Amino acid sequence: ILFDAGYRWLDGFEERSQYIIRAGIGYRAVSRLRLVAGFAHLGFYSSGDLTKTEYRPYQEIGLTNKLHKIGLSHRLRIEERFFKEQHPQPFQDAQSFNFRFRYLFAVGIPLVRFDGHRGSELSLHLGDEIFINAGADIVNNVFDQNRLLVSPTYRLNEQFSFALTYNYIFAGTAQAGQYASLQVLWLQIKQNLDFRRKREVDLN
């Protein structure tokens, strides 16, 4: 069971940007391959007011591998995005829909392993993710965005890790030929919980 939530601000916490709540169920078909289906809810703010919400079912496939000690991962995600304007203008359609396809390639490089702390490690994660839109409402913004990710990560143990991720976003707009760029910092806190019962070994 996968769950994450986040809250985002602009201009040094001066303006609310959006929130996201997301949950999914994953199935590891083999050790390197995982299938996931889930659902996300998002809200978008403008001038301090909630102006748009999104309901987003998604499906993904993830593949991991190792090159010596370096971890490699691929993730392909398909999203079905249902938007609802909270305060639609006259003659404006309050609801819209589009598909979005996301491909992420990431590399995990272990840097330092701390002796005396089980599983404690400092690593560097690098990634690039491209987003492509599709659907009847998509005209000029087939290219949605590209994210370049640089993420120093400290893993305290097998269950708990912290990451400060730099995210450079190059994004398309609704206007043909016009693009925007953003620089984002994410503080990520991850916890793994294992509820599986450990098998008892019969030594008789």
Side-chain angles (χ1 to χ4, degrees):
I1 298 175
L2 311 168
F3 176 81
D4 71 282
Y7 206 91
R8 304 176 187 179
W9 291 267
L10 294 171
D11 301 326
F13 299 99
E14 292 185 3
E15 183 179 346
R16 291 180 292 179
S17 173
Q18 60 180 277
Y19 66 81
I20 179 171
I21 302 170
R22 180 167 41 204
I25 296 177
Y27 173 70
R28 195 169 293 280
V30 293
S31 61
R32 299 191 300 112
L33 180 67
R34 186 174 74 174
L35 308 173
V36 177
F39 184 85
H41 171 64
L42 297 88
F44 302 87
Y45 295 91
S46 180
S47 301
D49 295 326
L50 183 65
T51 57
K52 183 167 62 175
T53 55
E54 178 186 350
Y55 299 91
R56 182 195 295 176
Y58 72 94
Q59 306 80 40
E60 73 178 44
I61 181 171
L63 180 66
T64 58
N65 207 341
K66 273 200 171 185
L67 182 62
H68 302 293
K69 293 185 178 181
I70 297 176
L72 307 175
S73 65
H74 305 264
R75 186 186 72 193
L76 178 63
R77 177 180 290 177
I78 303 173
E79 301 172 331
E80 298 81 40
R81 311 180 72 194
F82 298 85
F83 295 98
K84 182 178 180 181
E85 299 288 342
Q86 299 300 300
H87 310 287
Q89 300 297 318
F91 309 108
Q92 178 187 5
D93 192 351
Q95 300 186 39
S96 61
F97 168 80
N98 71 270
F99 290 98
R100 188 166 69 177
F101 301 89
R102 302 170 55 167
Y103 170 69
L104 169 67
F105 174 70
V107 177
I109 306 170
L111 299 177
V112 180
R113 182 177 292 274
F114 299 97
D115 294 333
H117 296 80
R118 186 177 180 182
S120 181
E121 182 181 74
L122 181 65
S123 59
L124 178 65
H125 294 258
L126 307 172
D128 190 82
E129 186 171 18
I130 187 168
F131 298 63
I132 300 295
N133 291 318
D137 295 331
I138 303 301
V139 180
N140 297 318
N141 56 336
V142 173
F143 168 74
D144 183 72
Q145 60 181 276
N146 189 85
R147 292 179 179 176
L148 178 65
L149 306 166
V150 180
S151 183
T153 302
Y154 174 63
R155 187 180 68 185
L156 181 63
N157 50 46
E158 295 294 338
Q159 290 78 38
F160 215 82
S161 65
F162 303 86
L164 185 63
T165 301
Y166 170 76
N167 177 10
Y168 177 77
I169 301 175
F170 181 74
T173 68
Q175 302 297 320
Q178 294 188 12
Y179 301 91
S181 62
L182 293 170
Q183 298 187 70
V184 180
L185 280 178
W186 291 342
L187 174 62
Q188 297 173 289
I189 303 171
K190 177 187 272 189
Q191 184 171 14
N192 297 320
L193 300 173
D194 191 346
F195 296 103
R196 294 173 297 182
R197 292 183 179 180
K198 295 182 179 180
R199 295 181 179 177
E200 295 182 0
V201 179
D202 187 358
L203 301 179
N204 294 326

